[in-house]
Amino acid sequence: MTSLQHSVRTAAAILALSLGLAAAPVAQAQLARNSKAPVDITADQLELVNSQCSAVYSGGAEALQETSRLRANELKILYAPAPPGGGKNGCSSDLLRMEATGSVFYVTPEQRVRGDKAVYDAKTQMLTVTGSVAASRGQDVMKGERLVVNTVSGDARMEGGGERSGRRVRTVIYPGASPDAPK
């Protein structure tokens, strides 16, 4: 494998691993890959809005699962409505969407991702991180304005801010460096 091929694979790995939600079942929020460990969420406040089938954690929200950590100013979880006659509050436990807003950080032993907002759509299994996105794995870093990851296939796209903004996608790769823990 050439140095360029290795660099491209490394960049793709940064994107594919970006929020570790690969193949998460629809009914289960998952932060760590293929984990059945519980997700522990803490925040200063929790607001349950049964009429919207949502739970909003605000004030330093943090979700932990095994060695994966998601932090944001606010974490909103939207559930599917319950079928008729199923559930007291009209909501099921099937995850529809998870939204993290404000100083979003996702960290695992292998990688780090930060942005202003992250949205995971359980139906499409697509993750979108926006706003000054930076993804790193070891010393390798990729920056842009919008990161979209198919969490099943690992296919990903990093976008810049467009011609008018002058912001472009930027990747710094250290060929031959091992993908150590994030620095």
Side-chain angles (χ1 to χ4, degrees):
M1 177 182 319
T2 69
S3 179
L4 178 59
Q5 287 171 324
H6 175 74
S7 297
V8 170
R9 283 183 181 223
T10 300
I14 290 171
L15 292 173
L17 292 173
S18 281
L19 281 174
L21 297 169
V26 172
Q28 180 179 23
Q30 190 169 352
L31 297 173
R33 275 185 181 245
N34 303 317
S35 178
K36 296 199 185 300
V39 177
D40 181 7
I41 304 172
T42 59
D44 292 337
Q45 180 175 314
L46 167 62
E47 179 181 2
L48 298 173
V49 184
N50 289 330
S51 63
Q52 297 176 8
C53 294
S54 69
V56 180
Y57 296 86
S58 58
E62 184 172 59
L64 302 168
Q65 185 178 37
E66 290 182 347
T67 58
S68 298
R69 174 184 313 243
L70 172 64
R71 288 185 303 156
N73 294 344
E74 181 177 279
L75 180 60
K76 183 176 186 178
I77 301 172
L78 299 164
Y79 298 96
K88 283 185 179 179
N89 64 8
C91 302
S92 73
S93 61
D94 292 339
L95 175 71
L96 288 179
R97 183 178 169 103
M98 190 174 354
E99 301 172 357
T101 55
S103 299
V104 176
F105 288 92
Y106 176 74
V107 180
T108 72
E110 298 83 28
Q111 73 226 352
R112 298 175 93 126
V113 177
R114 75 167 165 76
D116 296 330
K117 183 175 183 177
V119 176
Y120 174 70
D121 184 316
K123 183 177 179 182
T124 63
Q125 296 183 327
M126 297 295 285
L127 169 72
T128 304
V129 183
T130 56
S132 299
V133 180
S136 64
R137 183 173 183 199
Q139 292 179 302
D140 301 336
V141 178
M142 189 172 281
K143 293 184 177 184
E145 288 299 310
R146 185 170 187 253
L147 170 64
V148 180
V149 181
N150 179 316
T151 62
V152 176
S153 69
D155 293 344
R157 181 177 66 251
M158 178 73 88
E159 300 171 1
E163 208 173 289
R164 290 184 184 175
S165 75
R167 290 183 226 125
R168 302 177 66 183
V169 172
R170 181 174 184 182
T171 305
V172 178
I173 299 171
Y174 293 83
S178 64
D180 297 330
K183 309 249 187 255

